[in-house]
Amino acid sequence: MILLNAEKTALAPIVAILMGSTSDAEVMEPARQILKEFDIPCEVKVLSAHRTPEQTINYVKAAKGRGTKIIIAGAGGAAHLPGIAAAVTTLPVIGIPIKLKSLNGLDSLLSIVQMPVGIPVATVAIDGAANAALLAIEMLAIASPELSIKLETYRTKLQEKVLKSSV
Ligand code: RP5
């Protein structure tokens, strides 16, 4: 199942997952999967900084009032979505540079990572949707001992997997 077919949740989205195009959906899917694994209500929206600027700004401006705590935004090419989101909210914004055909994601990475002083975007690796979700969970875990324990368990499992695979 890909991200755009995500079930709608009745709970307020704690994390909003935004992407610039439906063509980003597959790369963004691990973010939704990880948040689901940690039982974090999320909402997935396709909103473009360039094609739907007003709708993007309106959505992000309203996010805090709706109870959203963190915004994850993925975009490729002239990847302005995370930056425009960060410009209109004080919620933390995590940017995911998405690799397109022409420049291997370097264009997206540089567009997202080089924000001016005052408007930060926490930028993860090219196509790094899973880490974006994990970083969001780490932020939420600051105020949640329960989430913190879940993260410790996740790390322990990672360690065990590496150790088991050792030759
Ligand atoms: C960006 O342009 C999107 O985030 C996407 O990665 C890229 C290409 O979009 P499409 O032309 O595939 O819709 O805004």
Side-chain angles (χ1 to χ4, degrees):
M1 181 170 60
I2 65 163
L3 191 115
L4 293 175
N5 295 330
E7 295 150 6
K8 292 207 180 339
T9 169
L11 298 170
I14 301 298
V15 177
I17 300 177
L18 312 184
M19 67 192 82
S21 168
T22 52
S23 64
D24 300 324
E26 201 172 333
V27 168
M28 294 291 287
E29 172 64 7
R32 191 187 66 80
Q33 288 290 345
I34 298 256
L35 290 166
K36 189 175 176 196
E37 194 180 323
F38 281 83
D39 291 321
I40 313 279
C42 70
E43 178 169 77
V44 178
K45 301 285 283 184
V46 176
L47 284 168
S48 164
H50 306 115
R51 292 166 176 157
T52 61
E54 285 173 25
Q55 292 86 344
T56 301
I57 289 168
N58 290 343
Y59 177 86
V60 174
K61 277 187 172 173
K64 193 190 269 187
R66 296 175 65 216
T68 296
K69 305 287 183 212
I70 298 168
I71 292 178
I72 292 175
H80 295 128
L81 182 62
I84 197 69
V88 296
T89 185
T90 54
L91 293 175
V93 174
I94 303 173
I96 306 169
I98 293 181
K99 180 160 68 177
L100 302 185
K101 271 185 279 179
S102 350
L103 295 167
N104 262 336
L106 192 57
D107 47 348
S108 321
L109 173 64
L110 297 180
S111 297
I112 294 176
V113 79
Q114 290 289 27
M115 289 295 290
V117 171
I119 313 293
V121 169
T123 309
V124 295
I126 294 168
D127 290 353
N131 267 3
L134 287 166
L135 182 57
I137 294 163
E138 288 180 358
M139 291 173 180
L140 295 169
I142 292 169
S144 166
E146 191 193 340
L147 256 189
S148 198
I149 291 167
K150 280 187 182 177
L151 274 169
E152 294 293 344
T153 307
Y154 181 88
R155 289 282 177 102
T156 304
K157 282 185 186 161
L158 266 187
Q159 280 177 13
E160 285 169 359
K161 204 171 158 191
V162 172
L163 293 173
K164 264 190 206 160
S165 67
S166 297
V167 286

